[in-house]
Amino acid sequence: MSTTTGLGQTPYSVQVGIPAATLKAKRVRRRLDLTLWERLYVAEIVRGLVVTSKHFFINMIGFIFPPAGKKRKVFTVYYPEEKLELPPAYRGRPVLVADADGTEKCVACGLCEKMCPAHAISIVAAEKAPGERYPARYTLDLGRCVYCGYCEEVCPTEAIVMSDEYQGLAQRDRNRLRFEKEQLLRPEAKVKTRLYYVRRIYSKWNY
Amino acid sequence: MLADLIESLAKIVFIFTVNVGVFAPILGWVERKQSAVMQDRIGANRADILGFTAIGLFHSLADALKLLTKEDFVPANANKFFHTLAPFIALVPAIAAFAIIPFGGRYELFGHEINLVIADLDVGILYVFALAGLATYGTVLAGWSSRSNWSLLGGLRASAQMLSYEVAMGFSIIGIIIVYGSLRLTDIGAMQEDFFRWGIFLQPVGFIIYMTCAIAENKRIPFDIPEAESELVAGYFTEYSGMKFVMFWMAEFLEMVTISAIVTTLFFGAWHIPFVTDAMLLSWFQFAGPNGAAALAMLVNIVVFFTKVSFFIWLQMTIRWTLPRFRYDQVMRMCWKMLLPLSLINLSITGLVVLLL
């Protein structure tokens, strides 16, 4: 058996946040009977001040002399200018995958329409040639979509996947959240990592 | 006579500019930015003029513009006269308290003796306490005249808290007055020329008590029970908007500056650099002629004084962003059962030591 796409098994690696290996578990002291020294409170305040000012000075140094290879020490992302590299498990707006010739892979079987718990998908099927179906209209109402990913799980031809797109999902008019087939089509290269990930988690290798 | 007038006016303009023009707007920015840096965040940085953000400094400007153009709202049934009067009573003591704080020594400039303090009062520190007592009225009036439950509760809490902490604050300062034998702040400042006679070495307990009480007087976290956001919306200034709101906000920041200035003057050597006397400064700057030397020494005094003040503002900000808020009964217990007895013990030990030596 061969895979339906010619992607090969290129491994991917995307990292977000602090790697788990570098996080150290800290011991929490849960003794509630305080000693006299602690009940005097002043020393404990000084201890707290030391902790916060340590953060203050380390971050100040980090702002003035950023660590090598980074712009600053603080993790915060300046959102519109900088964007997080999202992991392949992220479920953004569902999109239709286009073939090499620009037409959709979808065969209008209607499984996603049937599966969708929020009734967000509606398909009008038609035939290109006798026995070869395609969606004449494929409407996705993102006002209804709950981003569960069932459509992607159930799709037999890998025609619909959850992309990493999260912008433009807030509109002043509900009608503008209704996306047609032409707006949803994406070239296969754009959703490659997600396709690979979907095959792995849903065991779609043998399709 | 004319020279005296010009000198006084120059000092008033200087202090007013430093306080209202520099410290009040900058502290709003410092509060935002310092809390951000302490909590591993970035902080306000979006307001810009032609793409130039100046690390968030323009947010103060944007705030000022916004609040100036806001509606000046007085709630229905509120006592309009007192509602308008309260922010003034809150703000004026905060500015006026700076009049007696010396920010430099006594120098001879063009044959005219210049004393770097606006009003060299004999009663000195008592004047500050009088004004602190007056500031209570601003808070209580604001809470009472707003005709709002939250404001009234905030005002009640503020009155009880501020009156209680004034007692402990007064006793904590008497130790310093006994040690230096003067109420005049310029005398106290001049006596701290010797590094080992700084107030912090002679009265360490007094410093801790004064700092605690001063933060409580200023109603900042951990003693911000009169304006507790999670309980009373904004406490006594819930019903204020626009410029009147800014006045409360500025009063808080200016009081912070005043507290830092008093702590610097009483406990941390006023305008002196450790191990450097004013005479030494004058001899170092001899190359600029007698008048130039005096002017340079004055400049050094002022810079040193405001550097120390900035450090204590930083300390107060750090305390504010480190500690959680006390419960109301804890605030009261801390004052009457811990700080007041402690300050009395400190006072009697100081008196005994001064008597025996």
Side-chain angles (χ1 to χ4, degrees):
Chain A
M1 288 266 192
S2 66
T3 52
T4 49
T5 53
L7 275 175
Q9 298 183 9
T10 45
Y12 58 87
S13 68
V14 180
Q15 192 195 330
V16 171
I18 315 163
T22 59
L23 289 173
K24 266 186 289 180
K26 279 186 185 159
R27 242 182 61 215
V28 180
R29 203 189 54 153
R30 295 204 189 282
R31 200 158 53 79
L32 292 173
D33 47 328
L34 302 174
T35 59
L36 180 70
W37 185 244
E38 284 164 349
R39 265 186 291 156
L40 276 177
Y41 204 57
V42 173
E44 291 295 295
I45 287 179
V46 171
R47 219 161 61 112
L49 289 180
V50 166
V51 171
T52 45
S53 28
K54 206 162 75 185
H55 274 258
F56 176 81
F57 285 117
I58 288 174
N59 286 333
M60 280 309 274
I61 294 167
F63 273 116
I64 298 162
F65 308 106
K70 279 191 199 165
K71 274 171 88 178
R72 57 184 171 270
K73 206 178 171 299
V74 175
F75 290 115
T76 318
V77 175
Y78 289 105
Y79 167 61
E81 291 96 32
E82 301 173 359
K83 277 171 191 153
L84 270 184
E85 211 177 318
L86 292 165
Y90 183 80
R91 296 201 299 261
R93 168 203 299 167
V95 293
L96 292 174
V97 184
D99 250 339
D101 59 350
T103 54
E104 66 285 338
K105 276 186 179 177
C106 180
V107 293
C109 64
L111 274 177
C112 49
E113 191 182 7
K114 203 82 181 162
M115 189 54 129
C116 185
H119 305 296
I121 301 170
S122 49
I123 302 171
V124 178
E127 282 194 355
K128 277 181 197 167
E132 195 182 335
R133 285 159 65 89
Y134 81 105
R137 288 190 69 191
Y138 191 104
T139 313
L140 180 62
D141 189 353
L142 282 168
R144 304 190 67 113
C145 178
V146 293
Y147 303 92
C148 60
Y150 283 179
C151 48
E152 156 195 72
E153 187 179 348
V154 82
C155 184
T157 55
E158 291 182 340
I160 185 164
V161 287
M162 311 298 281
S163 66
D164 55 0
E165 295 166 20
Y166 52 83
Q167 285 183 312
L169 295 178
Q171 300 287 353
R172 288 176 194 280
D173 184 5
R174 283 183 193 182
N175 290 326
R176 298 182 67 179
L177 284 170
R178 200 172 293 131
F179 282 74
E180 291 297 329
K181 184 175 79 180
E182 289 73 28
Q183 293 163 281
L184 288 171
L185 272 177
R186 297 282 181 279
E188 200 175 309
K190 250 195 107 184
V191 289
K192 206 167 78 174
T193 47
R194 178 69 188 180
L195 275 173
Y196 182 88
Y197 176 79
V198 166
R199 280 180 209 152
R200 203 174 51 134
I201 61 166
Y202 298 138
S203 310
K204 282 194 176 183
W205 287 112
N206 297 327
Y207 285 165
Chain B
M1 185 60 208
L2 188 68
D4 285 341
L5 199 67
I6 292 170
E7 181 200 337
S8 295
L9 267 179
K11 285 187 293 200
I12 290 170
V13 167
F14 171 71
I15 283 296
F16 204 77
T17 317
V18 166
N19 273 353
V20 181
V22 179
F23 270 123
I26 291 269
L27 284 184
W29 170 75
V30 169
E31 179 128 68
R32 280 183 186 141
K33 215 62 180 175
Q34 190 184 335
S35 63
V37 174
M38 277 166 66
Q39 297 167 354
D40 296 354
R41 294 186 285 112
I42 287 170
N45 64 350
R46 287 288 147 178
D48 67 278
I49 293 176
L50 303 173
F52 180 63
T53 57
I55 44 175
L57 262 173
F58 292 138
H59 276 268
S60 301
L61 204 66
D63 275 346
L65 271 177
K66 184 198 92 174
L67 288 161
L68 273 171
T69 49
K70 260 179 115 172
E71 185 194 352
D72 183 18
F73 180 74
V74 179
N77 296 330
N79 189 328
K80 203 174 173 194
F81 177 68
F82 287 124
H83 190 265
T84 315
L85 186 68
F88 291 91
I89 299 184
L91 180 61
V92 167
I95 299 177
F98 228 95
I100 54 132
I101 289 162
F103 46 94
R106 203 182 280 267
Y107 295 101
E108 187 103 1
L109 197 63
F110 299 113
H112 179 74
E113 193 180 66
I114 287 181
N115 194 7
L116 284 178
V117 56
I118 292 176
D120 195 5
L121 291 186
D122 302 349
V123 289
I125 195 73
L126 288 184
Y127 170 79
V128 175
F129 284 113
L131 286 176
L134 204 60
T136 316
Y137 284 103
T139 314
V140 175
L141 267 184
W144 172 74
S145 64
S146 293
R147 232 359 132 84
S148 154
N149 291 346
W150 309 124
S151 299
L152 188 60
L153 278 172
L156 277 174
R157 288 178 174 192
S159 61
Q161 177 183 325
M162 287 169 87
L163 290 177
S164 309
Y165 274 87
E166 241 163 56
V167 179
M169 187 158 83
F171 277 119
S172 70
I173 291 301
I174 293 178
I176 276 283
I177 295 169
I178 289 177
V179 168
Y180 292 122
S182 175
L183 282 168
R184 200 191 282 260
L185 284 178
T186 42
D187 288 354
I188 293 176
M191 271 183 246
Q192 297 186 47
E193 209 157 31
D194 177 9
F195 180 58
F196 297 104
R197 291 217 1 113
W198 279 20
I200 183 71
F201 299 120
L202 303 175
Q203 287 282 315
V205 181
F207 166 66
I208 290 169
I209 298 169
Y210 179 76
M211 199 71 187
T212 316
C213 296
I215 294 173
E217 277 287 298
N218 196 8
K219 307 176 288 296
R220 279 172 74 79
I221 289 173
F223 301 102
D224 75 328
I225 212 79
E227 47 189 279
E229 286 99 358
S230 46
E231 300 161 28
L232 300 180
V233 193
Y236 59 92
F237 60 86
T238 307
E239 303 293 343
Y240 282 88
S241 63
M243 266 331 267
K244 289 183 199 159
F245 175 79
V246 176
M247 286 169 88
F248 279 115
W249 185 76
M250 254 167 66
E252 186 183 317
F253 283 144
L254 289 183
E255 247 174 75
M256 212 158 78
V257 180
T258 311
I259 290 164
S260 307
I262 292 170
V263 165
T264 308
T265 311
L266 292 182
F267 297 100
F268 284 87
W271 59 87
H272 296 294
I273 311 172
F275 305 117
V276 177
T277 60
D278 284 349
M280 277 165 81
L281 272 182
L282 279 177
S283 67
W284 288 351
F285 294 126
Q286 213 49 259
F287 60 86
N291 287 328
L296 281 174
M298 259 193 250
L299 197 69
V300 169
N301 280 174
I302 292 171
V303 167
V304 168
F305 180 76
F306 281 104
T307 311
K308 287 178 184 175
V309 167
S310 308
F311 171 76
F312 284 104
I313 292 171
W314 176 85
L315 186 69
Q316 286 184 63
M317 293 268 189
T318 312
I319 290 172
R320 187 240 181 277
W321 289 98
T322 302
L323 299 178
R325 182 189 304 141
F326 284 119
R327 224 167 45 219
Y328 192 64
D329 61 318
Q330 288 171 333
V331 170
M332 283 296 152
R333 198 183 61 197
M334 184 156 164
C335 178
W336 292 109
K337 286 189 171 176
M338 290 161 75
L339 290 178
L340 188 61
L342 197 64
S343 60
L344 285 173
I345 292 168
N346 181 42
L347 182 58
S348 21
I349 291 175
T350 311
L352 206 64
V353 170
V354 168
L355 194 69
L356 292 179
L357 286 180

